[in-house]
Amino acid sequence: MKRRIIEIDQEKCNGCGACAAACHEGAIGMVGGKARLLRDDYCDGLGDCLPTCPTGAITFVEREAAPYDEAAVQAAKAAQAPLACGCPGSMAKAIHRQNDAPAAPTAAPSRLTQWPVQIKLVPVEAPYFDGAKLLVAADCSAYAYAAFHERFIRGHITLVGCPKLDGVDYSEKLAEILRRNDIRELTVVRMEVPCCGGLENAAKRALQVSGKFIPWQVVTVSTDGRILD
């Protein structure tokens, strides 16, 4: 079948391994110091690897390729023991807090319950998505709004990004997250600046493409830290 799949320019690849660490399906591996697409049927075509490449060596192409085989990917994951490689900062994990207690007497507790939080790094499927209230937020919003943890992160799985800086359309990945997981509701927190409209539009397109009816809302934060709507 002809479908969208990644292609790695071997001349541009510097062998950093960031794409292999970002590929949750195991489609990319390091061969001879260079990143290579190991199996077509392991590549889901979502492009988690693209934004991690510092040299722009990875692009999408349309070509004949085996269809994505999710069952084969899951079987391969189950058969492999965890490897002590890749970027530790991109490994998905849940964060469990004891009694929701503050870290220090004068400090408010963090309400973050999972890692990573960047949209481009977070896996498409993870146990913490099951039954979750999803927060998709502009990364500036947590700095502008002082009570961000209490008002928005608390009780939510948090994804953050900046469409202008990342230069990525988040809609496909967000749609897959919504489609593959039991998401109960979606909150989008954006800044009032026009470029933040890309985040809101990506979330709206993701909801449409996912084919699911999920309660959702958009909250806009001003640059001086007020809630506008």
Side-chain angles (χ1 to χ4, degrees):
M1 63 177 293
K2 193 171 185 179
R3 69 181 182 94
R4 189 172 77 161
I5 197 167
I6 65 159
E7 183 174 75
I8 304 173
D9 187 327
Q10 295 297 294
E11 292 187 3
K12 290 184 179 180
C13 177
N14 67 1
C16 70
C19 59
C23 180
H24 306 293
E25 289 72 34
I28 301 175
M30 304 305 294
V31 180
K34 297 280 188 174
R36 293 188 183 275
L37 178 60
L38 302 178
R39 290 184 53 157
D40 287 1
D41 60 340
Y42 280 16
C43 178
D44 59 9
L46 294 177
D48 289 358
C49 54
L50 267 71
T52 68
C53 179
T55 64
I58 307 176
T59 56
F60 279 125
V61 295
E62 290 277 343
R63 66 170 176 82
E64 290 293 328
Y68 172 60
D69 190 342
E70 185 176 1
V73 170
Q74 295 302 323
K77 287 182 179 180
Q80 282 186 336
L83 299 177
C85 62
C87 174
S90 65
M91 292 181 180
K93 64 178 180 180
I95 300 172
H96 303 286
R97 304 188 185 280
Q98 293 184 350
N99 302 322
D100 233 8
T106 58
S110 171
R111 300 301 183 181
L112 190 65
T113 58
Q114 104 285 341
W115 187 265
V117 295
Q118 288 288 338
I119 298 172
K120 62 184 182 181
L121 296 180
V122 75
V124 174
E125 291 180 279
Y128 50 68
F129 281 132
D130 292 337
K133 297 180 180 179
L134 190 63
L135 170 66
V136 176
D139 49 14
C140 295
S141 58
Y143 293 93
Y145 187 69
F148 195 84
H149 273 247
E150 288 297 324
R151 173 75 180 268
F152 297 112
I153 293 181
R154 186 173 189 174
H156 291 77
I157 294 301
T158 303
L159 307 183
V160 303
C162 176
K164 183 173 183 179
L165 294 180
D166 287 344
V168 175
D169 181 1
Y170 299 127
S171 59
E172 286 191 42
K173 186 166 188 180
L174 291 175
E176 284 302 303
I177 290 172
L178 295 175
R179 182 160 37 220
R180 297 191 193 187
N181 301 280
D182 178 25
I183 304 297
R184 291 167 51 195
E185 62 181 61
L186 171 64
T187 298
V188 179
V189 179
R190 55 163 293 181
M191 298 298 296
E192 63 177 329
V193 294
C195 59
C196 236
L199 188 69
E200 178 180 346
N201 291 334
K204 289 179 178 179
R205 288 196 300 273
L207 280 168
Q208 294 171 348
V209 172
S210 73
K212 291 185 175 181
F213 178 77
I214 299 172
W216 65 283
Q217 63 172 330
V218 177
V219 179
T220 302
V221 179
S222 68
T223 53
D224 61 359
R226 295 174 291 115
I227 300 295
L228 298 180
D229 54 18

